[in-house]
Amino acid sequence: MKQFYISMLLALTPLLICAQNTLTGKITDSENNGPLEQVSVYFPQLEKGTVTDASGDFTLKGLPEGSYKLVVAYLGYETYSTSFQITSGSNQFDYQMEPSAIEIDEVVLSTPFHKLERENVMKVEQKSIAELKSNGAITLADGITNIPGVSSVSTGMGIGKPVIRGLSFNRVVVYTQGVRLENQQFGGEHGLGINDAGISSVEVIKGPASLLYGSDALGGVLYLNPESFELPGQTSGDVNLNYFTNTLGYGANAGFKTSGERFKFLARGAYASNADYETGDGTSVTNSRFNEADFKTGLAYQATQFKSELRYNYNASKLGIPEEIGVQNNDRDPLLPNQEISTHIISSKNNFFFKKSSLEATFGYTFNDRKEFEEHHHEEEGEEHEEEEGEEGPALHMELSTFNYNIQFNPQWGKMTTIFGIQGMHQKNENFGEEVLIPDAITNDFGILATSHIHFEHSDLQLGLRYDLRSINGEESGVVGDETYIGALDRNFNSFNASAGIRMDLTPNIIGRFNLATGFRAPNLSELTSNGLHSGANRVEIGNADLKSEQNFQVDVALEYNNKHFEAYINAFYNGVSDFIYLQPTGEFREEDPIYDFQQQNATLYGGEFGFHLHPHPLDWLHLESSYDIVYGQLEDKSNLPLIPANRWTNTFRVEWKKRASQYRCYAFVTLQTHFDQNKVADFETTTPRYNLFNMGIGGDVRFFDQKIGYKISGNNLFDKNYISHLSRLKTDGIANMGRNIAFNLSIPL
């Protein structure tokens, strides 16, 4: 036995030796050669990094051999990235950082090539959750509307769905924890279903991303990056407290994380509760109240040539569905109708690193349990059962379980980075309630893709090709001849898609991007089979089993100018969608509810985003920002598409200070946001007049009992403007959006 253990130790010796590849270096200021402390030195693909000490020195251990992107970032300096070759043994890297007032340029994680935003061929917008929260956002769906080109279809404050350049619902794919989020997102009254606690940043791909993500990414992708694990050998924790004056809403989240050289762990819990919101004229919007509990945790193991990450998220929310102005109180328990939704998300991400290639395998399982309680259902049970509604069960109860996988192989061939991948999904929908809106069904996806990024001295070229298959099999529901009958379904869809893009350094200060891409979306189960009342929409929707797949072709052009004190950009797009699926009122009613059915017609969308950011020398603490986003959508018969956001102009005056030798910061801002008249509306929509919203905020860090505490105070709609957003689903009932709201946030490190 002793000889056996000795033999095993000798056999493992080469692996232990391989694990000792290290990188050391020093980061200094280019102007005075002084050392820089707390600079981030990071390998995005390896998800491994560290920060410099007081002498500007750093050390990274246990690195695999091969060429990997290395990023050096520090607030107040220009972010630097380079391809670094890690060789066996000791490696050295020293760098002098250039001071700059431009914000830190982050690595884009929603595309597989680990490029900085300015280096990426595709235009990707990235915002940190901290930045979105500083603008007073109550929910994540509300926060993302601060990104140019992104809006939200809202039902009060608790329910919101992302809209990217006029496209939403199943045309926008949401990714969280590296896996696709599936939660019955076909309906407008089905919210985003993700809490911002435990999410570090949001990335938005504007335009077709079917090449990377398959069906439903025809309109774009909302990619949510989870908070990172702690650096090796460190432990940290924090508590965050929120209060919102308009909804009397309060929320808190607390997190803890610790990391050794190999094992890492984190956990975060959150809870939020909000009463009905008030409009600008002081009216409480009855049943807009909502409550949410959220828990996220993760465990990771990292060796030299292998790392594995397991994450879990549980989210439970209870959401009122506002229908009319009624009782005026500050209760927090939703009235009828309401939703009770619970979601479990489990993801496993595994990476293998070789000298000239790497392999990534991601697996995810999502279970979404949706219950909808309706007023008429409750009344039918009689007064003696009013206290037992939960025991009687919901009117609508659907369980959706989804397993998905994404396996990508990345060989290194000189300056060309190539990804070969397979992706797939198996999904099961089941009904347990008294009503059936969509039937029990099985959906299967399979896709295969290849995409390459080729780097030249002053340009980058990206090419890709993909093939997808989708099958949907639905069971028969109801009795033939009844108005709620749903027939059996057996449909198959397939599509080839391609993309090509180039990024060029037109001058030392001007970047140009040109992208061509196709995308597709197979009709979803609701569009094919639905036959029932959407309580949130107050309408009956009738599916069409003969619908074809949507196919689109989009052209994106972008120009960006930047120097140390001025940035400007122009992004324009043209998007042609064949067989666009849309709802149209039939003019008939079922009981008192209007009937809508699904139709198809070619559609065109076009528009863009324009803006600038000025931080004049020597007043680097002063920032003037302006952005304008515009989108138009029209069907082939010249009628307008529904739910197209109004043109929006946002102007911000911001000041911020930070001493280079200190981690303490403070900021203040004033924003004027103008939403212009929306007169180009669908036949069944009404126009929306122009309105202005005035916002202000301050924030930063303060020292309290020798402890750094972060604070944010922001006021939205400070003049208490009474207005209705064009994308509000309460617009048809004449219910206005939120009035003045002051948000308070404290972040306390532990």
Side-chain angles (χ1 to χ4, degrees), residues 103-104 106 117 125-137 143-144 146-148 199-202 613 625 652 654 656 665 667 669 712 714:
E103 281 76 2
I104 291 178
E106 300 287 352
E117 283 186 80
E125 296 277 356
Q126 186 183 74
K127 296 289 184 182
S128 69
I129 290 296
E131 184 176 352
L132 298 181
K133 294 288 284 186
S134 69
N135 292 320
I144 61 175
N146 290 295
I147 301 173
I199 296 175
S200 63
S201 63
V202 176
H613 178 188
E625 301 174 55
T652 299
R654 179 163 54 96
E656 59 182 30
R665 302 177 57 195
Y667 68 86
F669 71 87
K712 299 182 180 74
S714 56

Side-chain angles (χ1 to χ4, degrees), residues 392-624:
E392 295 294 335
L396 188 69
H397 183 187
M398 297 184 290
E399 292 183 355
L400 185 70
S401 56
T402 306
F403 171 77
N404 52 50
Y405 57 89
N406 183 359
I407 301 172
Q408 297 184 349
F409 177 63
N410 173 212
Q412 295 288 336
W413 296 325
K415 293 186 177 182
M416 182 170 70
T417 301
T418 301
I419 303 289
F420 298 101
I422 58 171
Q423 297 174 344
M425 179 181 76
H426 174 77
Q427 185 175 89
K428 183 178 183 180
N429 184 72
E430 295 181 283
N431 286 275
F432 298 95
E434 294 181 6
E435 301 175 8
V436 174
L437 180 63
I438 56 175
D440 294 354
I442 299 290
T443 301
N444 285 296
D445 281 359
F446 176 78
I448 184 169
L449 68 98
T451 179
S452 291
H453 182 110
I454 307 170
H455 176 70
F456 302 99
E457 186 175 357
H458 296 292
S459 63
D460 294 270
L461 179 67
Q462 189 170 313
L463 304 168
L465 185 67
R466 180 183 179 118
Y467 177 71
D468 281 277
L469 291 168
R470 168 170 283 191
S471 67
I472 305 179
N473 294 278
E475 298 181 8
E476 183 182 44
S477 175
V479 178
V480 176
D482 286 356
E483 63 179 6
T484 57
Y485 174 75
I486 300 174
L489 178 74
D490 185 4
R491 293 291 307 274
N492 294 283
F493 306 91
N494 64 85
S495 177
F496 277 102
N497 286 283
S499 70
I502 187 169
R503 174 204 169 278
M504 298 172 287
D505 294 323
L506 301 177
T507 72
N509 298 106
I510 300 178
I511 295 173
R513 290 185 174 92
F514 182 73
N515 282 274
L516 305 173
T518 65
F520 93 106
R521 184 181 75 88
N524 61 48
L525 189 61
S526 175
E527 294 164 335
L528 293 167
T529 66
S530 67
N531 187 358
L533 174 67
H534 281 250
S535 58
N538 297 318
R539 68 189 180 201
V540 174
E541 296 184 3
I542 307 296
N544 180 353
D546 298 321
L547 292 173
K548 304 174 184 177
S549 289
E550 295 179 340
Q551 189 78 41
N552 83 323
F553 174 73
Q554 182 163 316
V555 180
D556 280 272
V557 180
L559 285 175
E560 301 172 25
Y561 173 86
N562 69 80
N563 58 34
K564 289 185 177 182
H565 302 284
F566 181 74
E567 303 166 88
Y569 64 88
I570 301 175
N571 305 323
F573 75 94
Y574 176 87
N575 187 6
V577 186
S578 301
D579 296 313
F580 185 88
I581 301 170
Y582 61 99
L583 273 170
Q584 185 78 17
T586 63
E588 300 177 351
F589 291 82
R590 181 180 295 179
E591 296 180 356
E592 297 180 355
D593 300 304
I595 297 176
Y596 285 62
D597 62 8
F598 287 96
Q599 301 183 18
Q600 285 189 294
Q601 194 178 152
N602 294 341
T604 301
L605 298 99
Y606 59 93
E609 303 86 40
F610 322 93
F612 69 86
H613 178 188
L614 172 66
H615 31 86
H617 182 74
L619 306 178
D620 292 340
W621 47 268
L622 174 65
H623 298 260
L624 298 174

